[in-house]
Amino acid sequence: MKGACLAALSILVLLISIPARVVPDFESMQQAALLDDSQILHLNAADFANNTIKAGGNWFVFFGSRACPHCLALTPKWRQLQQERQEMLLERDLRMAKVECMDNMQFCNKVVLPSFTRFPTLRMFKNGEMVDEFPGKDPGNIEEVDAFLMKHFSALPVLEPASASGFNLEKSVAHANLVISKFNSHLHNPTSVVKNPLGTVLKVVSFADLPATPYLIRYRHSPACKDAACKALDAVLEDLATTMATRAVIAEINVFGKNAADAKEFWMRDQDPSSGPQSLSDSGIQLQWVMGPLETRVGYEGEYSVKALVQFIEGFLRPPASVVQAVDVMQTLNSTEVSVLFLYDAAVSDDSHLTQFLDVAASVQTRIGVYVTPDAAATFKNLNIPPSTLPSVVVLTEGGRGSHEFSSLDLTVLKDRAHKLQLRTWILERRYPLVSSLTVTNAVQIMGTPPQTVQKLVVISILNGYDASEIIALQTAAKEWKTLLEKESKKPTSVVVVFTWIDAQSRQEYILSNFGSVLGNAPQYPRHLIIDPSSRVAYLCDAQGAVLAPNMFAHTLSLIVNGQLKGTSLRAGVMAQLPPHQALLLFLAVCGVLLWISRGTGAEHGTYLPVSNKSRKGD
């Protein structure tokens, strides 16, 4: 018995002495993987729809999820393999990237996941089409993954050697995509620190405590919320911070009291050129996206909803520019209202020229489509623009039919911040198209009330989906109005006219809530109207009483400006038909009459007679 006890004790001591296998908890594993994930080239759903994938050569893509332990284990190995093979793969136009399905849920659910057998899934693409999938049972075995990659690499043709001029279009386009991807990764995570890891709003008391850019900041004007709108925004930002966990910082600072002066200076720095309010308190803007490297600030003027704010932020997180070739430049530009195009000669330009321009592109990309092309000579020819000194920046309107070239500065010396801000200002001053679409992010800006000294009119075409012919008709009307103004001997300088269109299929609720009183509950589209945001008056007919059409916009606008046409109020009720000051006087008069009647009635029935304390005691 004693021997058996000693043997059992010996076995127990032996088991205790064996080192335990340390299994990291999921949260620690996730945080460690995120550092590597930030250094991986990422693609999103839009990249599979545009030229990045469809005409972008060969891609080896890792479809994964931050919620998948096997994906987290593969992430550092994938990053290392990408870094080791990157230059060699480029020789045959092959690149590695990742699609984070938690950030592209709809795309992965509808397009990718139905054919998935597991996470992670590794697939090979050629010009947007899947050609093979990693067959191994363990994607975490990086040696097998590398062997699969090298098999496809060996089967690809080597890119043709550079011509005598040193230019090869395919290789130049591939390299431009690589430069843009590297720039974007560094821009949004220059310190490789996980952003907003807990998914909460970062509340700071001093501007010195703000994190490295980029981030969304809210300026709070009082220590605590006193109204429902402020409390509602609190809830929206909390949900937004959770939604954007690990992707974007949501910050908040109280500018009440000692921070007020610093807040004004901070907010005013590098404001976009505009004629709007030039102070923080007057602007009504509570949120700004702040980003480097120019330390620019873009005010948010859309709806205070999580969906709209996510859309606003993701506009900055995507790559700041897309690469286009001369052969498809017209088709690409036709899909945008206003575009800026950076043209350079890849044979003589180094990466610094493109990178310096990307600093500017990142600060304007949500306001204007940004494209770059190393195929400059052929692009100038296709756009019917005289060749210019390269590199060159051109703003294109109306699908490339109109152009403005930046000539104030030699772009080969676009290095210091002042020069970049000069180019940025020039671009933003030309970013407004003849016609813009009315969306959740610009509705407040387009439909907002102007200063009292300005008369603003908004011409709206409500379309049943995207209708190119109707939009071209709206553009023609905008040109006619511009021509009419130029011919006028007395130009109405205090009049601002905005031409816009709205998709009834996606914005029906907005249309009925704002214009339903004049359109009815079941309007037929297309419909056209002119709105005066200050007086809340709509014009649906021309001078002859006919339903408004684009060919009558210019003449109708002239009548409205000169006070020769009466519109219909968007306010509900009888009083809506009166001018605001008359409606107010009538309201006060009615209130006075009602008060007089009620006081007279009260005296008659004794309800307003004073009751003494003495009489109360006797009750």
Side-chain angles (χ1 to χ4, degrees):
M1 183 69 180
K2 183 176 180 181
C5 291
L6 288 174
L9 182 61
S10 300
I11 293 173
L12 181 61
V13 171
L14 181 61
L15 290 174
I16 294 175
S17 65
I18 297 176
R21 181 186 176 189
V22 179
V23 180
D25 65 274
F26 179 76
E27 185 176 347
S28 300
M29 188 178 180
Q30 188 178 50
Q31 295 302 319
L34 287 173
L35 296 175
D36 291 291
D37 192 73
S38 65
Q39 301 174 50
I40 291 174
L41 174 60
H42 279 252
L43 299 173
N44 56 35
D47 293 322
F48 281 79
N50 61 29
N51 288 335
T52 303
I53 298 296
K54 284 190 175 181
N58 308 284
W59 291 82
F60 186 31
V61 182
F62 160 23
F63 293 91
S65 167
R66 290 190 295 268
C68 162
H70 297 292
C71 300
L72 298 179
L74 174 60
T75 296
K77 300 174 184 178
W78 183 271
R79 175 196 60 77
Q80 184 176 356
L81 182 62
Q82 178 179 292
Q83 290 179 345
E84 291 176 354
R85 297 295 194 187
Q86 187 168 265
E87 293 300 324
M88 182 183 72
L89 297 178
L90 188 60
E91 295 175 1
R92 303 195 183 190
D93 197 16
L94 176 58
R95 279 152 288 179
M96 296 175 62
K98 178 188 175 184
V99 172
E100 174 54 61
C101 285
M102 287 190 70
D103 300 333
N104 298 272
M105 194 65 71
Q106 186 175 6
F107 170 72
C108 288
N109 284 340
K110 291 186 177 180
V111 180
V112 185
L113 284 178
S115 59
F116 269 14
T117 56
R118 64 182 179 276
F119 263 143
T121 289
L122 313 179
R123 289 179 173 176
M124 189 69 66
F125 289 83
K126 182 175 179 62
N127 295 334
E129 299 294 330
M130 189 191 82
V131 294
D132 200 1
E133 181 175 326
F134 175 69
K137 295 183 179 179
D138 180 15
N141 188 329
I142 202 64
E143 289 77 16
E144 290 186 8
V145 172
D146 188 32
F148 175 80
L149 174 64
M150 288 298 98
K151 181 188 76 171
H152 283 274
F153 173 78
S154 301
L156 292 171
V158 179
L159 289 178
E160 295 180 8
S163 62
S165 64
F167 175 72
N168 176 280
L169 179 58
E170 289 185 8
K171 191 169 184 177
S172 298
V173 169
H175 186 70
N177 274 312
L178 187 63
V179 171
I180 293 172
S181 298
K182 285 182 177 179
F183 174 89
N184 197 53
S185 296
H186 179 74
L187 174 68
H188 296 298
N189 203 355
T191 58
S192 297
V193 174
V194 178
K195 292 184 173 296
N196 185 19
L198 301 179
T200 57
V201 177
L202 175 65
K203 299 181 180 181
V204 298
V205 296
S206 169
F207 284 88
D209 298 330
L210 286 169
T213 59
Y215 51 81
L216 183 77
I217 183 171
R218 177 197 186 181
Y219 301 94
R220 183 188 285 278
H221 294 270
S222 60
C225 284
K226 298 180 180 179
D227 56 69
C230 177
K231 294 177 181 178
L233 182 55
D234 275 351
V236 167
L237 292 183
E238 290 292 346
D239 289 344
L240 178 67
T242 302
T243 303
M244 300 304 294
T246 73
R247 300 189 64 210
V249 172
I250 313 300
E252 176 185 285
I253 187 167
N254 179 20
V255 298
F256 182 80
K258 65 178 182 179
N259 278 325
D262 291 339
K264 181 177 180 180
E265 180 183 355
F266 185 83
W267 182 84
M268 283 288 295
R269 198 183 308 164
D270 303 326
Q271 283 296 294
D272 291 346
S274 67
S275 58
Q278 289 299 302
S279 70
L280 178 58
S281 58
D282 295 339
S283 71
I285 294 177
Q286 299 186 61
L287 302 172
Q288 273 187 336
W289 179 257
V290 184
M291 60 187 160
L294 302 185
E295 287 291 319
T296 48
R297 289 146 180 77
V298 180
Y300 177 73
E301 299 178 346
E303 299 174 0
Y304 287 146
S305 67
V306 175
K307 180 179 179 181
L309 282 165
V310 167
Q311 182 179 342
F312 174 71
I313 294 173
E314 287 185 339
F316 293 102
L317 298 183
R318 67 173 184 260
S322 300
V323 183
V324 293
Q325 302 179 30
V327 294
D328 58 8
V329 66
M330 290 303 297
Q331 180 181 356
T332 301
L333 296 178
N334 275 329
S335 64
T336 59
E337 295 164 334
V338 180
S339 307
V340 58
L341 183 62
F342 178 74
L343 304 99
Y344 66 102
D345 184 351
V348 298
S349 295
D350 58 29
D351 290 350
S352 65
H353 294 154
L354 176 55
T355 303
Q356 300 294 346
F357 171 73
L358 291 176
D359 285 345
V360 180
S363 69
V364 301
Q365 68 181 107
T366 60
R367 284 167 155 73
I368 187 170
V370 185
Y371 301 91
V372 303
T373 179
D375 196 10
T379 301
F380 276 127
K381 183 178 180 180
N382 286 358
L383 292 173
N384 198 24
I385 299 175
S388 178
T389 304
L390 298 177
S392 175
V393 173
V394 178
V395 170
L396 300 162
T397 60
E398 304 169 65
R401 293 185 290 276
S403 63
H404 309 272
E405 185 176 3
F406 181 71
S407 58
S408 304
L409 189 68
D410 180 2
L411 294 178
T412 60
V413 294
L414 190 67
K415 295 181 179 179
D416 61 73
R417 184 170 181 268
H419 288 160
K420 292 174 183 177
L421 289 175
Q422 182 182 349
L423 174 59
R424 178 178 186 265
T425 300
W426 180 85
I427 292 173
L428 290 176
E429 288 174 344
R430 289 155 182 81
R431 76 182 186 270
Y432 296 108
L434 286 171
V435 175
S436 60
S437 58
L438 188 66
T439 65
V440 294
T441 56
N442 66 11
V444 175
Q445 180 183 5
I446 290 178
M447 300 301 299
T449 304
Q452 292 183 354
T453 56
V454 175
Q455 181 183 8
K456 180 179 181 180
L457 297 171
V458 182
V459 181
I460 304 177
S461 288
I462 306 176
L463 308 179
N464 191 18
Y466 182 86
D467 189 328
S469 62
E470 289 285 351
I471 294 174
I472 291 174
L474 196 58
Q475 291 174 339
T476 302
K479 292 178 183 177
E480 290 176 355
W481 170 247
K482 185 178 180 181
T483 302
L484 185 64
L485 282 183
E486 292 172 349
K487 291 181 179 179
E488 290 282 345
S489 56
K490 296 181 180 179
K491 298 180 181 180
T493 55
S494 61
V495 175
V496 174
V497 177
V498 179
F499 290 80
T500 186
W501 67 275
I502 184 169
D503 180 3
Q505 293 181 359
S506 60
R507 303 296 309 282
Q508 181 73 355
E509 183 179 349
Y510 175 87
I511 293 168
L512 293 180
S513 63
N514 287 273
F515 315 124
S517 61
V518 294
L519 293 177
N521 293 326
Q524 299 296 313
Y525 304 117
R527 288 295 300 272
H528 310 282
L529 61 159
I530 299 173
I531 303 293
D532 184 337
S534 299
S535 61
R536 296 289 295 162
V537 169
Y539 301 85
L540 289 85
C541 301
D542 60 18
Q544 285 70 42
V547 175
L548 265 183
N551 62 341
M552 291 301 298
F553 280 159
H555 180 64
T556 305
L557 284 167
S558 181
L559 295 177
I560 296 172
V561 169
N562 293 315
Q564 298 174 349
L565 193 65
K566 184 179 180 181
T568 303
S569 177
L570 290 169
R571 301 183 181 92
V574 177
M575 293 181 65
Q577 306 305 318
L578 297 174
H581 65 283
Q582 292 183 12
L584 178 62
L585 290 174
L586 179 58
F587 173 75
L588 293 175
V590 171
C591 288
V593 172
L594 292 175
L595 181 62
W596 178 79
I597 293 173
S598 64
R599 288 182 65 85
T601 304
E604 181 180 344
H605 291 278
T607 54
Y608 288 92
L609 295 178
V611 180
S612 65
N613 292 333
K614 183 177 180 181
S615 62
R616 280 202 182 101
K617 292 178 181 178
D619 290 343

